[in-house]
Amino acid sequence: MTANRRDFLKTSALVGGALGVGLPWPTASAAAPLAADPSAVLLQQVTRAAKPLKILILGGTGFIGPAQVRYAQARGHTVTLFNRGRTNPGLFPDVAKLQGDRAAGDYNSLKGKQWDVVIDNPTTLPRWVREAAAALKGNVKQYVFISTISVYAANDTPGADETAATATTTEPDNETANARLYGPLKALSEKEAEQAFPGRTTVIRPGLIVGPGDLSDRFTYWPARLRRGGEVLAPGQPTDPVQYIDARDLAEFAIRCCENETFGVYNVTGPRSKITIAEMLGGIRAVLSSDITLTWVEYPFLQANNVRQWSDMPVWIPPVGASAGFTQRSIQRALDKGLTFRPFAETVRATLEYYDQATEAGKASLRSGLAEAREKEVLAAWHARPRG
């Protein structure tokens, strides 16, 4: 059984990979069609690039791909998509589309064509990078590989940067949907890209990707939950740090790396300055008009009551022990190369607009976060706990 990125996301254990603490990844369904980007009006105001590029995007119709396409078009670039034609096939009727199945090693439609740069979005398996690079050798000048913050071997050091050691595996050819191997295989895929395009590779390691189009509901849970109002279970300490990146900010950074021939490895998450879980929830709350009470529940109590970090309490991981640095990665290198962030309120509003397109059943069964009855149960237990 072969596996692509979506297969890994169905079973993975943290931000796109195994952190090593056994946290389940929320199951994602098949991609739903994306509505018009809520920031489309803003894209109309984007200035055109000084030099138009021919950009090949592998994937391009899932979560982050559409934002790349829209921004690239707004900047005046010509985009071609290469994928199986199964995910959101109706998107971008004005964009050239080439079909091929990377699991089967089918790159025939790429032969004899040239682009300035390729952006590889969906790849986890080193073989996929190796074969794509072989098909594109001499036909592109730059390889942009979208990796993951989960490639790192350890996450215990706050402020660690791109020089930190990456994970390894003794199963480099394992192609099953194995969460344990997600990070290590992504790390190997990075190396395949650099080997094929030495000095001409850009590796982007995003943290938690949020915003419209997200099928995991990891961030979506919080705007949806706070809008419902009432007493809200808030995890850990208000000062616990969090990190996330709007998919559109990630996409814009990737396109700018193409325009500027920016090579190297970059942690791409945010925001610009350290933010706490309390500040994040406060930022969401500022967009809403709901009557909300936050009840902070300590990590040991959540553990004792089987409330899982990251999945039951999305975005949040307690900054202790082996996870102390997971949400405190340095992004200075990306900031120095022009990483920018849209206002957080825009991310919240766009996320809610996307959420509101779901069916009532879909809204009631988010893939991340606590169900309403379960949240009430845990809050009642917290209020009834012995104190002394």
Side-chain angles (χ1 to χ4, degrees), residues 237-242 244 273-282:
Q237 300 296 322
T239 55
D240 289 347
V242 294
Y244 47 80
S273 303
K274 179 179 176 180
I275 187 171
T276 67
I277 182 68
E279 290 169 331
M280 187 194 80
L281 296 180

Side-chain angles (χ1 to χ4, degrees), residues 56-280:
L56 173 66
I57 299 179
L58 308 183
T61 56
F63 181 17
I64 61 176
Q68 294 169 350
V69 174
R70 294 184 182 108
Y71 187 70
Q73 288 181 317
R75 292 283 286 166
H77 305 306
T78 300
V79 177
T80 301
L81 300 182
F82 173 84
N83 53 50
R84 296 177 301 170
R86 298 179 188 177
T87 301
N88 297 322
L91 277 180
F92 308 121
D94 60 332
V95 172
K97 298 180 177 69
L98 302 174
Q99 285 198 5
D101 188 344
R102 299 182 72 181
D106 176 15
Y107 295 90
N108 291 328
S109 63
L110 299 181
K111 292 181 178 178
K113 302 176 179 65
Q114 290 192 327
W115 295 270
D116 294 297
V117 59
V118 58
I119 302 176
D120 190 344
N121 284 320
T123 300
T124 295
L125 304 178
R127 174 177 66 86
W128 284 26
V129 177
R130 189 162 55 248
E131 292 176 349
L136 293 168
K137 196 74 171 177
N139 295 330
V140 298
K141 303 172 185 175
Q142 180 179 4
Y143 199 108
V144 178
F145 182 71
I146 307 300
S147 188
T148 169
I149 213 82
S150 294
V151 297
Y152 292 108
N155 296 281
D156 55 354
T157 305
D161 64 14
E162 293 84 352
T163 62
T166 55
T168 59
T169 177
T170 58
E171 305 172 61
D173 300 318
N174 190 326
E175 297 195 356
T176 59
N178 190 326
R180 175 178 55 84
L181 296 178
Y182 187 90
L185 291 181
K186 274 285 195 179
L188 288 176
S189 294
E190 294 179 359
K191 291 180 173 62
E192 291 284 354
E194 176 59 32
Q195 182 175 339
F197 292 85
R200 307 288 300 181
T201 297
T202 307
V203 173
I204 295 175
R205 295 172 177 168
L208 174 63
I209 308 173
V210 307
D214 179 20
L215 294 175
S216 74
D217 295 326
R218 287 167 295 170
F219 174 76
T220 305
Y221 169 78
W222 290 114
R225 174 62 193 92
L226 267 63
R227 188 171 64 176
R228 196 169 78 232
E231 184 182 16
V232 177
L233 193 162
Q237 300 296 322
T239 55
D240 289 347
V242 294
Q243 285 185 310
Y244 47 80
I245 182 75
D246 189 300
R248 297 163 296 176
D249 295 330
L250 170 62
E252 291 177 12
F253 180 74
I255 298 302
R256 287 195 290 271
C257 285
C258 300
E259 295 172 350
N260 300 324
E261 294 190 341
T262 299
F263 307 117
V265 182
Y266 301 91
N267 293 332
V268 179
T269 187
R272 180 178 298 274
S273 303
K274 179 179 176 180
I275 187 171
T276 67
I277 182 68
E279 290 169 331
M280 187 194 80

Side-chain angles (χ1 to χ4, degrees), residues 22-47:
L23 304 183
W25 178 277
T27 301
S29 63
L34 292 172
D37 190 325
S39 61
V41 174
L42 294 177
L43 286 174
Q44 294 174 6
Q45 303 169 5
V46 171
T47 58

